Amino acid sequence: MTIQWFPGHMAKARREVTEKLKFVDIVFELVDARLPLSSRNPMLDQIIQQKPRLVILNKADLADPKETQAWQAYFKAQGHEVIAMNAKTNDGVKKLNQSAQQALKEKRARDAARGIKPRAIRAMCIGIPNVGKSTLMNRLVGKKIAQTGNKPGVTKGQQWLRSGKDLELLDTPGILWPKFEDPDIGKKLALTGAIKDDLLHMDDLAIFGLEFFSRFYPERLSDRYKLSAEDLFLPGPDLLMLISEKRGFRDDYQRASEMIIHDIRQGKLGNYTLDRIEELNPDEISHQ
Ligand code: GDP
């Protein structure tokens, strides 16, 4: 489900997250491993301030493993604990628990020095829609939790969901908005299916995808659409026309665009990471 974010929604979502933060020891910040920056909420640092954080690069099964490693190093260099996982399997769960303990090590030591006994860690999941918050929560809790409907505004008393003996999760995730300033971010989110198609023109999106793959994964594009090495030098719109022609869609570029977007979303062009470390601008790198 996609939420249309208006200033009123954002203010409300922010208020709700701020309120819930008081109850937790640590924030699990979920991002899509294919878009580790574009799928972050731009104000999260301001919102959660000094609260310990574990950055979870979720959907790592769909991302380029080499890039995922580089992004893990990036977040570590910013002082965050970070893990990459696939919330649809149990693989990352042990690591998640260890990393949460690690992120709270100093606090635990301070508590111990003051004679405070360790209790289960209290955490909340935060992220933009579709990054896998509910999937992860279900996985951690081991059962299907109530659907939150992906809407900010579901408020009730704080309830805790148990995950093993060392972790408790707030029953509703914090849902925040993605970055909107940069049109490329909107396209990246749409290409992975995180936001609705109808906010963008399909041909723009397909061309964006083609240009991305011809730059970073050219051989996959040529394999899939039977393109020659020279074809890959074509600008995106020409590539779209060529693929449309080759597939027998003639000038039905809408249909060709839908096919290409579908292929990308379904992983027919392989695992990919749309946000690239090498494309960070200097002020983003200076955090490292
Ligand atoms: P939420 O809006 O953040 O709560 O996201 P959901 O948990 O509803 O997940 C959105 C979609 O992503 C669903 O179709 C999930 O099955 C899928 N999903 C969640 N986590 C993963 C993952 O790690 N890998 C893959 N491949 N899909 C995932």
Side-chain angles (χ1 to χ4, degrees):
M1 194 193 304
T2 308
I3 311 170
Q4 294 271 30
W5 293 97
F6 296 107
H9 286 140
M10 294 185 186
K12 188 160 182 230
R14 179 177 180 158
R15 259 198 322 274
E16 283 177 8
V17 167
T18 307
E19 186 57 31
K20 288 173 180 167
L21 276 171
K22 294 183 196 146
F23 303 105
V24 302
D25 304 310
I26 183 169
V27 166
F28 292 166
E29 181 194 6
L30 276 87
V31 296
D32 186 320
R34 295 168 295 177
L35 325 142
L37 291 189
S38 302
S39 62
R40 296 186 99 184
N41 172 267
M43 292 180 78
L44 197 70
D45 286 351
Q46 258 184 54
I47 296 173
I48 75 170
Q49 299 195 10
Q50 299 308 314
K51 190 70 75 179
R53 179 182 338 181
L54 168 61
V55 178
I56 299 175
L57 299 173
N58 193 37
K59 307 197 188 187
D61 53 308
L62 304 175
D64 180 335
K66 225 170 84 221
E67 296 298 315
T68 301
Q69 261 188 6
W71 282 111
Q72 282 185 270
Y74 170 86
F75 288 113
K76 271 206 186 99
Q78 291 192 339
H80 303 310
E81 280 295 316
V82 52
I83 58 164
M85 72 181 291
N86 168 4
K88 289 170 105 174
T89 71
N90 271 331
D91 291 350
V93 171
K94 196 163 155 218
K95 185 87 182 58
L96 182 150
N97 276 298
Q98 285 167 350
S99 298
Q101 296 285 352
Q102 183 62 29
L104 289 173
K105 218 165 108 196
E106 283 173 25
K107 179 181 182 304
R108 295 253 143 154
R110 277 199 310 275
D111 285 354
R114 285 156 50 205
I116 301 172
K117 275 220 224 104
R119 55 161 172 75
I121 290 176
R122 292 192 158 168
M124 74 180 288
C125 294
I126 294 186
I128 68 167
N130 276 314
V131 286
K133 296 177 295 299
S134 315
T135 309
L136 177 67
M137 289 168 71
N138 288 331
R139 172 76 36 202
L140 291 175
V141 174
K143 62 173 186 222
K144 190 124 182 67
I145 54 165
Q147 265 302 330
T148 57
N150 247 343
K151 280 207 163 68
V154 186
T155 38
K156 43 188 162 150
Q158 305 312 326
Q159 292 194 32
W160 299 97
L161 303 166
R162 245 194 190 278
S163 170
K165 62 176 176 31
D166 295 327
L167 180 65
E168 284 178 359
L169 283 180
L170 204 54
D171 69 336
T172 46
I175 302 166
L176 294 171
W177 60 93
K179 286 187 194 175
F180 295 116
E181 310 85 73
D182 177 347
D184 279 0
I185 290 179
K187 289 183 194 158
K188 288 177 179 181
L189 289 165
L191 256 194
T192 61
I195 61 171
K196 263 195 190 154
D197 296 325
D198 57 9
L199 300 176
L200 292 152
H201 293 293
M202 295 301 262
D203 50 353
D204 277 350
L205 200 53
I207 289 167
F208 182 82
L210 289 172
E211 287 177 343
F212 169 80
F213 275 88
S214 72
R215 179 159 170 216
F216 293 105
Y217 306 102
E219 67 297 343
R220 299 191 197 163
L221 209 54
S222 47
D223 284 355
R224 177 95 194 153
Y225 301 119
K226 312 276 177 282
L227 304 172
S228 69
E230 293 85 70
D231 293 340
L232 291 170
F233 287 106
L234 289 171
D238 295 353
L239 262 183
L240 174 64
M241 288 194 276
L242 179 65
I243 293 170
S244 188
E245 181 66 37
K246 278 178 181 281
R247 288 289 170 116
F249 300 154
R250 296 164 177 269
D251 59 0
D252 190 351
Y253 302 130
Q254 173 78 9
R255 192 161 159 221
S257 299
E258 282 169 11
M259 174 196 72
I260 290 161
I261 293 164
H262 184 262
D263 285 353
I264 293 172
R265 287 192 182 150
Q266 296 302 308
K268 297 274 196 290
L269 290 161
N271 289 8
Y272 58 90
T273 300
L274 291 163
D275 284 343
R276 316 293 291 201
I277 295 258
E278 67 254 43
E279 290 193 325
L280 288 181
N281 60 41
D283 60 309
E284 285 169 309
I285 294 171
S286 68
H287 286 301
Q288 292 187 74

